[in-house]
Amino acid sequence: MNEQRVNKPTISDLAKAAGVSVTTVSHAFSGRRHVDPETAKRIQALADQMGYHPSSMARALRSGRTGVIALASSMPFAVAAGPSRLGFLMEIAASAAMSALTRDLALCLIPPHPAAQGKGSVGFDGVILVEPMRDDPLVAYFEQRKTPIVSIGTVPDRPDIPAVNIRSRETAALLLDHLAQQGCHRVAALIGAAPRTSQIESAAAYEAFVTRFGGSSLLVRMGEEEAEDTAYQETLQLLRANPSIDGIFAAIDAFASGAMRAAQELGWTVPDRLRLVTRYDGVRAKLSQPPLTAVDLHLPAIAEKAVHLLLDQIEGSSRMIEADLPELIVRRSSQMPA
């Protein structure tokens, strides 16, 4: 008895059954172009009835793409992830991976560690860079490979690179104004020395704050390596030399942790003697004693915007988009004593 072979339905069969073009069916499954929601739902229902499953390998062969995007940062591990590995970069990665998955893409995380920053041979359809520096080697590397790039946080002096503007100057101003509202008259700032837009704009916001309220600038720039220990040592010197300081703005949460250690060692109670705020509302801020006032940067929404922007960049469309305004999360570290 001869077995009758049943041919699997093709994308053309599905397009014909749905009364649409093959391109529309492709976009309905990939999410890379807008398809009317009702049309997409009808295509999916017909696909289920017919037993059609899109072939990721076939799509890759037709398009010349891998179906993989990457997420990378030149920030040191101590800043981007921290001891708990649940920091800034990890939060973005989790949200970006989910966003990519809904578009039938895989996300590869390039960890912020020297062993992972080598020039490997893995190819990506595009890459999201998290807060790159001016003249960042990762930008040069991926541009040399002609890999489409988008950035979370604008790239200094590179307006040609599509980016999600995370509004770092407004974030810093929000925190500094909060310190002023809590009665601080002598505010110092701990800001990263690396030329990232977040640190450049935080410094500009601090200098504008000092000009507005009077007094002299107490801005300390620090390297990102060994960030908490560096901030601890620098804050010890800063507080000993300037006993009138009553507030500290830390542009990096690891700096805030180091500043808290220094204050406690000197017997400066927080918030009675010193009020402390930081930029990122992550694990360090929440587990600090007392908990740190910080801002919700809306990182899941930022990651979603970055993935969408990267897909546009892969298709040849380039633009800048704005993140939502950050939200101040007030905790005990900055609250004026009753």
Side-chain angles (χ1 to χ4, degrees), residues 22-336:
V22 169
T23 301
T24 299
V25 173
S26 177
H27 290 333
F29 282 106
S30 70
R32 294 179 181 176
R33 285 288 183 270
H34 175 74
V35 175
D36 176 74
E38 290 301 319
T39 300
K41 187 184 295 184
R42 180 161 52 86
I43 290 171
Q44 184 61 63
L46 283 169
D48 293 341
Q49 292 174 17
M50 297 170 63
Y52 171 78
H53 301 286
S55 167
S56 58
M57 183 176 294
R59 285 199 305 275
L61 289 171
R62 286 196 301 271
S63 66
R65 297 175 186 164
T66 64
V68 179
I69 60 175
L71 181 77
S73 176
S74 61
M75 287 188 287
F77 186 76
V79 171
S84 64
R85 305 194 181 191
L86 294 173
F88 186 79
L89 184 63
M90 300 301 106
E91 188 173 345
I92 291 174
S95 298
M98 184 60 68
S99 179
L101 188 61
T102 63
R103 293 168 169 83
D104 204 22
L105 293 167
L107 180 117
C108 176
L109 173 63
I110 302 175
H113 191 280
Q117 298 293 336
K119 307 301 188 279
S121 60
V122 177
F124 305 108
D125 293 335
V127 61
I128 299 169
L129 298 181
V130 180
E131 293 209 55
M133 300 181 290
R134 179 185 291 116
D135 301 322
D136 198 302
L138 284 176
V139 172
Y141 172 63
F142 285 110
E143 284 189 326
Q144 184 180 27
R145 294 173 66 94
K146 302 190 184 306
T147 303
I149 298 170
V150 303
S151 172
I152 290 178
T154 57
V155 185
D157 302 330
R158 291 296 305 270
D160 57 308
I161 296 178
V164 181
N165 178 6
I166 58 176
R167 307 172 80 157
S168 297
R169 180 160 186 156
E170 291 159 287
T171 299
L174 183 67
L175 289 162
L176 289 162
D177 287 347
H178 169 71
L179 286 174
Q181 291 161 9
Q182 295 301 306
C184 293
H185 302 287
R186 190 82 166 112
V187 177
L190 308 179
I191 293 176
R196 306 186 194 279
T197 294
S198 62
Q199 304 307 297
I200 294 169
E201 292 189 352
S202 290
Y206 174 72
E207 296 295 356
F209 173 83
V210 170
T211 299
R212 183 155 50 103
F213 287 96
S216 58
S217 174
L218 290 171
L219 190 157
V220 181
R221 292 188 180 274
M222 294 178 287
E224 296 172 340
E225 297 288 350
E226 305 299 330
E228 182 175 334
D229 289 339
T230 299
Y232 163 72
Q233 295 293 342
E234 292 285 351
T235 304
L236 283 176
Q237 295 180 37
L238 182 67
L239 297 182
R240 285 169 176 157
N242 301 275
S244 63
I245 289 174
D246 54 11
I248 292 180
F249 160 61
I252 295 175
D253 60 344
F255 290 171
S257 297
M260 182 70 79
R261 280 173 51 199
Q264 291 171 344
E265 182 171 314
L266 292 174
W268 288 39
T269 56
V270 176
D272 296 343
R273 171 85 184 267
L274 180 72
R275 275 147 234 164
L276 183 59
V277 298
T278 192
R279 170 181 172 235
Y280 169 55
D281 185 33
V283 172
R284 288 181 184 272
K286 293 170 183 174
L287 297 185
S288 174
Q289 292 299 322
L292 295 169
T293 289
V295 291
D296 181 356
L297 297 170
H298 307 302
L299 292 183
I302 287 172
E304 169 74 21
K305 288 176 186 288
V307 171
H308 183 79
L309 191 61
L310 181 59
L311 295 178
D312 285 349
Q313 173 73 341
I314 291 169
E315 297 290 345
S317 175
S318 177
R319 61 197 174 101
M320 298 280 183
I321 57 179
E322 296 269 308
D324 294 334
L325 280 170
E327 178 186 353
L328 183 67
I329 307 297
V330 178
R331 297 196 178 94
R332 196 154 55 87
S333 72
S334 68
Q335 291 179 314
M336 181 187 297

